[in-house]
Amino acid sequence: MSGNDTLARLAQVIEARRGGDPDRSYVARLFSKGPDAILKKVGEEATEVVMAAKDGDAAKVVNEVADLWFHTLLVLAQHGRTPADVLAELRRREGQSGLEEFAARRMRRREGEGT
């Protein structure tokens, strides 16, 4: 079983619980509070990843990254996207220099602004 399978299964669970009872499901509770609640959790979890990494606690880094990934899956679900969409984007970028990718994004942004 691959990590892709795990992420896909988790995304399916999130989708199944999304409209559930907020008193019985953490996922349903976050969705019932609206997009800002989910985004706030992503920010909190990202900060916790940084703090764990600065502390040099590898086990805690793994736990906090798992929390961050989970909450970013909620964001993807909000936007009708799946982990497969992210994996496809990573495959698209594979073999391309990060600097080249940044330059291409900057160029697309400028073209979109008409400058």
Side-chain angles (χ1 to χ4, degrees):
M1 185 174 321
S2 75
N4 298 358
D5 296 334
T6 301
L7 291 173
R9 277 195 325 277
L10 185 53
Q12 289 171 345
V13 169
I14 288 168
E15 202 53 47
R17 294 183 182 169
R18 180 178 182 161
D21 181 355
D23 292 330
R24 299 180 55 93
S25 166
Y26 175 72
V27 169
R29 184 177 307 148
L30 277 178
F31 275 104
S32 74
K33 291 180 179 181
D36 286 350
I38 295 171
L39 296 175
K40 181 179 177 186
K41 285 302 296 181
V42 169
E44 290 171 6
E45 298 303 341
T47 299
E48 290 174 7
V49 168
V50 170
M51 290 169 37
K54 285 190 66 73
D55 290 344
D57 187 337
K60 192 169 182 181
V61 168
V62 169
N63 288 328
E64 297 300 344
V65 168
D67 290 346
L68 178 59
W69 284 15
F70 174 80
H71 289 91
T72 57
L73 289 174
L74 297 178
V75 173
L76 286 173
Q78 274 183 318
H79 293 276
R81 298 305 199 146
T82 68
D85 296 317
V86 176
L87 294 170
E89 176 62 13
L90 290 171
R91 278 190 300 277
R92 185 191 69 76
R93 295 180 187 185
E94 195 171 1
Q96 183 177 27
S97 155
L99 296 176
E100 291 171 357
E101 172 61 22
F102 294 144
R105 267 193 253 167
R106 204 170 23 251
M107 181 66 76
R108 285 192 300 271
R109 200 170 24 245
R110 285 183 186 148
E111 289 171 355
E113 294 172 354
T115 56

